Amino acid sequence: MPLILMCGYPCSGKSRRAHELRDHFTENTDRKVHTVGDEELEVDRNSVYADSQSEKNLRGALRSEVERKLNKEDIVILDSLNYIKGYRYELFCLIKHAQTPHCLVYCLTSADLSSEWNKERKEGCQYSQEILDALILRFEAPDSRNRWDSPLFTIQKDDALPFEAISDAIFKRKAPPPNQSTQSQPLSSTNFLYELDKVTQDILMAVLDSQKTSVPGDFIAIPGATERIELTRSLNMAELRKLRRQFISYTKMHPTENIGQIANMFVQYLNKSMH
């Protein structure tokens, strides 16, 4: 059933609004409401958000938990920063595959107000000022013109939540249609697994070879793919193998009938995973 994404600066009131939404839907519908977030995973925010790999692992854990709880009956609220545009797009692909609607609730505050609210928290629950400032600096605000950020509800400090409009958005809207990259299809080619293994291995070797003469910011041309890999950072063999295993595992469960698209799909996957 529907996914509600919370979004905003640290200490912008997201959890308070998430609790209001949970209470409203629990009292006014027969549906179960699941809240997934940093709090539920008992995250030490200052250590996690100080390390890019730890933060990436956290986003992966949150996404997995959302995917596990999505079904045809319940409401899932993701109460986290969700401040990276690419991550919100990944979650949009998730709801497309699940064929369920979603919406985004953006808690809009100033940096000064978030800092003030942070200082009012209990000591063990506060962000350090350095981490708070860094997260605000990296924040990518949602834009309703992007399909993954729409429908968008922007809520300021003294606003009441528009419960009726949010209900309409998640109960009365049709789910976005699945596309080739998200729709489950029957395994129709006996060559599929062979091609999946071969193409992804060839791309791994191409990336490793290209990195010897490339620098971050370069675009790597991949044989058999029309899309190119944007090299935002260096990737070692261990990380590339892990990404390949994850891609193969997902693609085996959701195979494409067009074997020729495997290379482009893997390139897209690598580009998203490198951010």
Side-chain angles (χ1 to χ4, degrees), residues 50-114:
D51 177 70
S52 60
Q53 187 59 50
S54 296
E55 184 183 343
K56 184 177 177 181
N57 292 341
L58 170 62
R59 290 197 299 271
L62 291 170
R63 183 175 61 243
S64 296
E65 190 65 13
V66 166
E67 186 172 15
R68 190 174 70 84
K69 291 185 181 300
L70 277 177
N71 60 51
K72 293 188 179 298
E73 300 298 330
D74 303 344
I75 298 168
V76 180
I77 301 173
L78 178 54
D79 176 22
S80 189
L81 296 174
N82 299 318
Y83 72 99
I84 298 173
K85 180 171 62 176
Y87 183 58
R88 296 197 298 268
Y89 176 75
E90 287 181 39
L91 294 166
F92 177 71
C93 291
L94 192 67
I95 65 105
K96 287 186 75 173
H97 175 66
Q99 297 186 43
T100 184
H102 90 307
C103 72
L104 194 146
V105 177
Y106 176 28
C107 298
L108 177 61
T109 57
S110 66
D112 288 343
L113 182 58
S114 288

